[in-house]
Amino acid sequence: MNLSALLRAAAWLQQDGDYFFPVEASTNAGEVDRIYYFIFWVSAVSFALIVGATIYFAIKYRRTKVGMNPEDSPHHSTSIEIVWSVIPTLFMIVMFKWGFDDYVDRRTPPGDAYQVNVHAQKWSWAYSYDEGAETGMGWLGGEGEGLVVPVGVPIKLRIDSADVLHSFSVPAFRIKMDAVPGRYTYAWFEATKIGEYPVFCTEYCGTRHSRMLSKVQVLSQEDFDAWMKKQGNLADLPPVEAGQKLFQRKCASCHNMDGSKLIGPALNGLYGKEESLVGGAKVTVDDNYLRESILEPSAKIVEGYPDAMTPFAGQLSEDEISWLITYIKSVK
Ligand code: CUA
């Protein structure tokens, strides 16, 4: 999740696509592109006709002599007015009907669609499945799994946000839907090509909006079933590993474990250290301080860092909080 990953993704986006679009990887993508190109070419031809006529008339009827009077010309032509009103109107009716039909189709997931829940938060994406599996952001060629789905199955996304407006966008599928705090929104797609596709946040949501990246992994049905079977319960893992997995999902977009500053402080070697807080107080990092900083991060802000973290109160179970603390303690 650095600049080179971002550039790789941008280059990747155009692979197998065309000048305007990335690869078409969902049943919906071809239709969106056809509508786009229809509107594009109607606009391009109209532009050429209107600007061409403007230039032609400006030259043909320009004033060539000082004091010259305008020639007599017809003031009105009903047939020309009908032609240039009716023909563009017909094109616009086609644009509206075609676009509206596709919009309605996008807003209406098939009844048998497989549901995955998408969770947006400053600044990460997480995914959860009714079978109990949970995955974190993931990025092309990088860590984490992202949204894992089977090919050729309609997927319904139920999207929520823990803090501000975000927007879940998968250009290869031509879908985009806002994540709104306090309510669910929905989007759906059916992937047609096995592979990995980038996910972007397309609603400006703060400092690390541009890095709020993720990926979709499209697998064959057999691979997906095998993957789902492997998704063990975090509770079956040793607490340090469970904490590490959880950290990757929930924390790693803002906190490093290698001593470098991200949005928030690095968390390695933190336990037992004395931190200076905004306002001059000092605090020794212990379990209670970590717990409070996870659940109510604004309570104590470390000097030199913004009060930017979304509270995790209500989002984590007692076990999960405990795993995270165990993991943070373990990294020197
Ligand atoms: Cu989340 Cu932009």
Side-chain angles (χ1 to χ4, degrees), residues 166 201 203 205 209 212:
H166 302 273
C201 178
E203 184 80 62
C205 55
H209 156 72
M212 194 166 158

Side-chain angles (χ1 to χ4, degrees), residues 121 123 125 164-167 201-206 209-210 212:
Q121 167 160 10
W123 289 276
W125 296 103
V164 299
L165 280 180
H166 302 273
S167 183
C201 178
T202 44
E203 184 80 62
Y204 182 67
C205 55
H209 156 72
S210 63
M212 194 166 158

